[in-house]
C-alpha cells in the first residue's frame, strides 16, 4: 500500500501537496472564499431580477390594458 501512494506522488506532483493537513486547511479556506463569492453573486442576481421585474410591472401600469393587449398582439403577429 505504501508503494501505490509513493507511486502516485511521483506520477502526480500536484496531488502530493494535498497529503498534509496544512494543505487541507488552505483548501478549506479556498472553498469558503468560493462559497462566499457564489452567495454574493446569487444575491446580486436576485436583486437585479427583482428590479427588472418591478420596472416591467411599473411600465405595465403606465399603459391601459387595451394598449398593452394591442401591443402584444402586434409583436407576436410577425412580419405579415
Amino acid at each position: 500500500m505504501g508503494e501505490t501512494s509513493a507511486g502516485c506522488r511521483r506520477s502526480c506532483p500536484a496531488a502530493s501537496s494535498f497529503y498534509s493537513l496544512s494543505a487541507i486547511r488552505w483548501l478549506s479556506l479556498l472553498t469558503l472564499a468560493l462559497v462566499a463569492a457564489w452567495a454574493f453573486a446569487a444575491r446580486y442576481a436576485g436583486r437585479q431580477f427583482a428590479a427588472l421585474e418591478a420596472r416591467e410591472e411599473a411600465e405595465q401600469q403606465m399603459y391601459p390594458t387595451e394598449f398593452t393587449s394591442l401591443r402584444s398582439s402586434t409583436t407576436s403577429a410577425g412580419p405579415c
Side-chain angles (χ1 to χ4, degrees), residues 40-67:
F40 177 77
R43 288 184 65 187
Y44 176 77
R47 288 178 182 160
Q48 292 297 325
F49 179 76
L52 178 65
E53 191 176 50
R55 204 175 318 136
E56 287 180 356
E57 186 176 304
E59 182 181 307
Q60 286 178 356
Q61 288 178 357
M62 288 175 60
Y63 299 109
T65 56
E66 59 268 359
F67 290 133

Side-chain angles (χ1 to χ4, degrees), residues 1 11 14 18 23 28 31 33-34 42 48 50 52 62 68 70:
M1 186 159 170
S11 65
F18 293 112
S28 65
T31 303
L34 289 173
Q48 292 297 325
L52 178 65
M62 288 175 60
T68 55
L70 178 64

